[in-house]
Amino acid sequence: MFYIIGLGLGDPEDITVKGLNIVKNCERIYLESYTSILSCGQEKLEEYYGKKLILADREMVEQRADEILEGADTQSIAFLVVGDPFGATTHTDLMLRAKEKGIKTSIVHNASIMNAVGCCGLQLYHFGETVSIPYWDDSWKPDSFYDKIVANLKHGLHTLCLLDIKVKEPTLESLMKKKREYMPPRFMSVSEAAGQLLEIVASKHADEADGMGSQKEHRLSDNSLVVGLARVGHETQQIIACSLKEMQNIDLGPPLHSLIIPNINLHPLEKEFLQQFAALDEPL
C-alpha cells in the first residue's frame, strides 16, 4: 500500500492516531519538504515516530516519483505531507502515478491552512478563490493573482493568500552547470507580501488615472483591511488585523505566514471576533 498522510500544522503530535499507527508499520517513509514545513523539524518527527524519514524535495517528487513508489506493491510506503495530502497538486500526481502502476493507495486527512484560517474569526464559507503570492525579482513581477482578489471582493468574499516559500531552489547560474548549487531557504512574510501588494495597488491606481481601469469600489487601497497569520496551529501562533500599509511594517516572526484580504462588508460576528487582533486596539 502507498499511503499519503497529512501531518497537520503544528507539531509532531498533530498527526492522527490512524496516521501514526500506519507510519509505525511502514518500511519506507518520505517527508515532503517543499510545499510547506513544520516548525519542529525532521529530527523531532523522527523522535516522535520512532522511524527514520527520507526527505523528499521538489526534485525527487517531481522527477523521481518512481523511486518513491518503488516496492509499494509488496511493502507499505508512506509519504508525509504538512497539512492535508491534497493541499498541493503534486500529491494528486503521485496518486495517479500509483494507480497507473496498479499500486493500492490510501489517504489520511488532517487539518490544513485552508480550514485553519477560521481561527481569525472569518467564516470559512465566506472565502472565495485562494491565491498564491510569489516572490518577485528584478525581471519577473507577476501580478495576475490581484485580479482574483478583486473578483472575490466583487462577490463579497474573503481571499486567503498563500505566501511563497523557496526550499532547495537552484541558482540561475548552476542551471547551466552539471553540479547544482542552491539558494538559501526563503519564506515570504506578511510584510513582504504587503509590500508587493502595495506596489500593485499603486500601479493599478495609476492605470485608473489614465482612464484604463474600472471597478474602483472593489479595488484594494493602502487602507484596506488585511489579516496576517503566522505559524497557524502552533503554540506560537500569531494573528494581527490592520491596514495593508501598516502590514508592510509588521513582524510576525518565523515562518510560515499567510495573508487574508477580507470582504469589505464583514458579518457582525466576524467583525467582533476579528477586533481582538486589531493592531493597537484600533476599531476595525
Side-chain angles (χ1 to χ4, degrees):
M1 183 77 76
F2 179 65
Y3 297 95
I4 303 184
I5 301 173
L7 300 183
L9 294 169
D11 55 45
E13 296 181 356
D14 283 349
I15 191 172
T16 63
V17 174
K18 180 179 180 180
L20 182 59
N21 288 335
I22 291 171
V23 166
K24 288 182 177 295
N25 289 285
C26 281
E27 281 77 12
R28 267 195 344 269
I29 307 162
Y30 294 90
L31 174 62
E32 191 262 89
S33 64
Y34 71 92
T35 60
S36 189
I37 60 165
L38 278 182
S39 57
C40 62
Q42 181 179 348
E43 291 183 1
K44 288 289 186 181
L45 293 177
E46 291 178 333
E47 180 182 342
Y48 186 73
Y49 302 154
K51 289 277 191 173
K52 283 291 184 182
L53 306 181
I54 303 168
L55 209 59
D57 58 22
R58 180 188 294 271
E59 184 178 318
M60 172 180 280
V61 177
E62 294 184 350
Q63 300 179 25
R64 292 154 48 203
D66 290 345
E67 179 181 324
I68 296 173
L69 295 169
E70 184 179 357
D73 53 341
T74 58
Q75 300 176 321
S76 292
I77 310 298
F79 185 79
L80 309 183
V81 179
V82 176
D84 186 79
F86 291 128
T89 54
T90 298
H91 311 138
T92 305
D93 181 65
L94 271 177
M95 292 287 291
L96 293 174
R97 287 173 179 265
K99 184 177 181 180
E100 289 174 357
K101 293 176 177 292
I103 296 171
K104 294 180 181 179
T105 60
S106 181
I107 300 295
V108 181
H109 292 283
N110 210 321
S112 78
I113 191 63
M114 302 293 283
N115 55 32
V117 291
C119 64
C120 70
L122 297 178
Q123 297 168 8
L124 293 180
Y125 50 83
H126 289 167
F127 277 80
E129 183 175 357
T130 299
V131 306
S132 296
I133 300 182
Y135 272 117
W136 285 353
D137 59 35
D138 293 338
S139 59
W140 191 67
K141 294 188 175 183
D143 63 2
S144 58
F145 58 86
Y146 178 83
D147 293 332
K148 296 178 181 180
I149 294 173
V150 171
N152 282 341
L153 290 173
K154 182 178 179 181
H155 291 95
L157 300 171
H158 312 311
T159 305
L160 169 61
C161 303
L162 303 178
L163 309 187
D164 201 2
I165 69 174
K166 299 287 188 184
V167 179
K168 204 175 180 181
E169 291 283 333
T171 62
L172 290 175
E173 294 79 6
S174 74
L175 292 175
M176 305 299 293
K177 304 175 183 178
K178 291 183 179 180
K179 183 179 179 180
R180 287 288 180 92
E181 296 175 350
Y182 300 96
M183 295 183 286
R186 297 173 66 198
F187 305 93
M188 184 180 288
S189 66
V190 290
S191 62
E192 289 174 305
Q196 290 188 182
L197 277 169
L198 285 169
E199 283 194 43
I200 296 172
V201 167
S203 175
K204 298 293 183 182
H205 288 194
D207 289 344
E208 289 174 357
D210 292 336
M212 298 169 61
S214 60
Q215 304 288 350
K216 289 186 178 181
E217 67 274 22
H218 302 299
R219 71 185 185 184
L220 286 179
S221 72
D222 292 5
N223 295 318
S224 293
L225 175 66
V226 296
V227 183
L229 306 96
R231 300 172 301 285
V232 171
H234 193 269
E235 60 183 9
T236 64
Q237 171 179 299
Q238 287 195 47
I239 304 173
I240 190 164
C242 60
S243 71
L244 181 60
K245 185 176 182 179
E246 290 171 327
M247 189 64 74
Q248 189 179 20
N249 299 312
I250 294 295
D251 180 7
L252 290 184
L256 291 171
H257 292 192
S258 300
L259 189 70
I260 299 173
I261 313 296
N263 164 33
I264 297 171
N265 300 309
L266 295 177
H267 185 280
L269 288 178
E270 291 180 309
K271 192 170 184 177
E272 181 180 355
F273 197 98
L274 194 59
Q275 183 63 54
Q276 66 184 301
F277 306 118
L280 304 177
D281 295 323
E282 296 176 355
L284 297 177

